[in-house]
Amino acid sequence: MGNSSHKEFYKNIDRKQIYSATDAPEQHKSFGDLKQFIEEFDLTEKFCLEIGASKGVFQNIVKNYSALDISTSLAKYYQKSFFTVNDDGSYPFDENIFDAIWTIDVHEHIPDINQALFELKRVLKPGGVVYFAPAWQCRPWASEGYAVRQFSDFAIKGKLIKASIPLRDSVLWRSFFIFIKRIFYHLSFLFGKKYYKLIYKKLNANYDIFWTSDSDACNSIDPHDAILWFESNDFKCLSHPLHLKAFFVRAGALIFQKNAET
């Protein structure tokens, strides 16, 4: 959507007032959970990578930290190692070099999400752990700011879309469609199907106007589908073990461990 590319958008977005505005790690919404993840797996001195690190608010939370993002303009925020994604979407690292990876509110913004997931797997050591926390279930109406704009901004179709949001965003409405889909995918997995590619919904990201959080999201991801991808690709879900807890997962970070024999 729009004329700007996603790389230009993330290069030029205001990182002080609008995007990734938090500078203190303690003020970040994920600080407590990430700190617990680091303590639980004794990562303080291990080699850690943050994917989509933005301004590097967590760069001092561990000793051996590396950051990865798509914009070279972010390098000025770092005292530790900062890298950018290659032009072809690959990561500038050898295989099996990181003990842990975390990524927060990132994969909903990556145009080729399956390539990004395979790169994550490639650079993580066997036995390594992942803290995976996209913004789940991004809404398709966010790109045009339907939830925050006035009815007068829209023509008839837009007014109908805005009016439908309370119903479409309700737990009962969303659960009905989500759980029907989950039953099918989960039963398929139980009967041996492997999800070597992530199932997700493609969104029309807005790279021209940042109306609201995730108006720039290009993917809507169900955490259940993420679990099936990781479990199909040599990982074990530690936070939501198969099958009951994984089936009813709703929000929050997922924690995975790459199989030691991979």
Side-chain angles (χ1 to χ4, degrees):
M1 179 177 296
N3 297 317
S4 301
S5 73
H6 76 287
K7 286 189 176 182
E8 290 174 342
F9 175 83
Y10 295 115
K11 176 182 178 181
N12 297 321
I13 192 73
D14 183 348
R15 303 251 177 193
K16 293 183 178 180
Q17 301 296 326
I18 297 176
Y19 214 90
S20 307
T22 301
D23 291 317
E26 296 82 4
Q27 295 176 358
H28 194 286
K29 65 177 184 178
S30 298
F31 174 73
D33 289 341
L34 182 59
K35 185 177 180 182
Q36 182 178 345
F37 170 76
I38 290 167
E39 291 173 351
E40 180 178 352
F41 294 100
D42 193 22
L43 301 175
T44 305
E45 297 192 7
K46 301 290 181 63
F47 288 95
C48 298
L49 172 68
E50 181 173 12
I51 297 173
S54 189
K55 295 191 297 182
V57 67
F58 292 127
Q59 63 184 295
N60 293 314
I61 203 169
V62 294
K63 181 178 179 181
N64 296 305
Y65 172 96
S66 294
L68 181 70
D69 214 290
I70 64 169
S71 179
T72 57
S73 64
L74 294 169
K76 62 187 177 184
Y77 295 107
Y78 288 87
Q79 295 80 48
K80 292 189 176 179
S81 300
F82 174 78
F83 301 87
T84 55
V85 177
N86 294 326
D87 289 340
D88 64 0
S90 63
Y91 294 171
F93 310 113
D94 293 331
E95 295 183 1
N96 305 327
I97 64 169
F98 292 105
D99 297 293
I101 293 173
W102 64 79
T103 177
I104 301 167
D105 295 340
V106 173
H107 282 71
E108 68 273 20
H109 302 294
I110 300 178
D112 192 340
I113 188 173
N114 276 293
Q115 181 186 19
L117 289 172
F118 279 112
E119 284 295 290
L120 179 155
K121 176 185 175 182
R122 182 182 67 80
V123 303
L124 185 68
K125 291 179 180 178
V129 289
V130 180
Y131 180 99
F132 189 71
W136 303 113
Q137 311 280 11
C138 292
R139 310 303 195 255
W141 53 81
S143 63
E144 286 296 335
Y146 283 106
V148 297
R149 296 167 66 186
Q150 300 297 317
F151 276 96
S152 58
D153 289 350
F154 303 106
I156 294 298
K157 181 179 178 181
K159 286 179 168 63
L160 291 174
I161 292 172
K162 181 173 175 65
S164 72
I165 289 176
L167 173 63
R168 295 166 64 196
D169 207 31
S170 66
V171 173
L172 287 177
W173 178 271
R174 292 175 55 241
S175 296
F176 176 76
F177 294 101
I178 287 171
F179 285 117
I180 289 176
K181 172 181 68 71
R182 286 187 182 184
I183 289 170
F184 176 77
Y185 291 150
H186 207 94
L187 286 175
S188 297
F189 180 80
L190 286 173
F191 282 100
K193 180 177 175 60
K194 298 296 184 183
Y195 291 92
Y196 295 117
K197 288 189 175 182
L198 177 70
I199 299 169
Y200 66 100
K201 182 178 180 180
K202 200 71 178 173
L203 303 177
N204 291 317
N206 192 333
Y207 298 130
D208 292 325
I209 302 175
F210 185 75
W211 290 111
T212 185
S213 176
D214 294 324
S215 60
D216 56 323
C218 57
N219 307 312
S220 181
I221 313 164
D222 183 341
H224 174 262
D225 295 337
I227 291 173
L228 294 185
W229 183 89
F230 278 94
E231 288 279 351
S232 297
N233 287 276
D234 302 317
F235 286 84
K236 181 178 179 62
C237 188
L238 304 181
S239 59
H240 296 76
L242 295 175
H243 291 276
L244 192 62
K245 195 171 182 180
F247 182 81
F248 287 104
V249 59
R250 181 177 176 188
L254 304 178
I255 297 174
F256 300 98
Q257 185 168 37
K258 187 177 178 181
N259 293 342
E261 297 179 357
T262 299

